[in-house]
Amino acid sequence: MTKLYDRDFFGWTQDQADALRRRSVNELDWENLLEEVEGIGKQARGELRSHLIVLLAHLLKWRLQPERRSRSWMFTILEQRREAERMVDENPSLKPELPEILADAYKTARLRAAREPRLTIKRFPAENPFTWEMAMTEAVGEPD
């Protein structure tokens, strides 16, 4: 089974799904199934982290560059909030991990925001100033 996993992943998934449907435990590739299931969980966490990076970077720019605020920034913030909320709604067991995911995402968001002209990394707090609630609710206007 591992050989099929290595040479035809799609075929392997179909075989494994069929074995699961038939409840044929002896045909399951337990080692690779475990790895794939864990990978799916990591993927959901990573997707949430990606949305939070974009969101936090834009919130930082929003705070530090009020003269450059734009409709585009506002819609990026609103869109990333919606996607982050969707990820947590679909994966509620991510909720206890939010502080850790936010802290990690902030490190990258800070670097991303510092790419803006007239901003240096020193202008941003070293530690994440946003809680989940703040990131989801800080006022940025309403779409028209």
Side-chain angles (χ1 to χ4, degrees):
M1 255 178 271
T2 299
K3 290 179 183 176
L4 182 59
Y5 176 84
D6 291 334
R7 73 172 197 282
D8 182 1
F9 181 75
F10 180 76
W12 175 85
T13 64
Q14 300 310 294
D15 283 356
Q16 294 303 293
D18 182 56
L20 285 166
R21 247 182 247 101
R22 292 183 289 107
R23 309 242 187 311
S24 182
V25 295
N26 293 329
E27 294 179 44
L28 294 174
D29 180 357
W30 291 100
E31 184 177 323
N32 287 317
L33 273 173
L34 173 62
E35 184 178 316
E36 291 303 322
V37 169
E38 286 176 338
I40 292 167
K42 288 177 185 176
Q43 184 178 357
R45 193 178 198 280
E47 185 179 336
L48 175 59
R49 181 182 174 277
S50 293
H51 290 299
L52 290 174
I53 289 169
V54 176
L55 171 61
L56 297 177
H58 277 75
L59 286 171
L60 287 169
K61 295 187 301 184
W62 190 268
R63 282 182 172 184
L64 288 173
Q65 294 183 306
E67 73 284 354
R68 297 195 67 206
R69 290 177 181 170
S70 67
R71 188 171 191 269
S72 174
W73 283 5
M74 178 188 68
F75 275 101
T76 297
I77 290 168
L78 296 174
E79 176 185 331
Q80 296 306 313
R81 280 179 177 164
R82 174 64 198 114
E83 289 302 310
E85 287 172 340
R86 179 188 59 79
M87 287 298 304
V88 173
D89 288 347
E90 291 176 2
N91 302 280
S93 54
L94 285 171
K95 283 181 186 177
E97 296 191 38
L98 285 173
E100 181 185 330
I101 297 169
L102 272 165
D104 183 53
Y106 179 75
K107 293 173 188 174
T108 303
R110 183 175 179 246
L111 294 170
R112 190 170 291 181
R115 287 190 288 186
E116 284 290 310
R118 296 171 280 196
L119 292 179
T120 64
I121 196 78
K122 293 176 185 175
R123 293 208 41 211
F124 304 106
E127 297 299 318
N128 182 13
F130 299 100
T131 63
W132 172 259
E133 293 75 22
M134 291 168 62
M136 294 298 121
T137 61
E138 186 165 311
V140 295
E142 293 294 323
D144 50 330

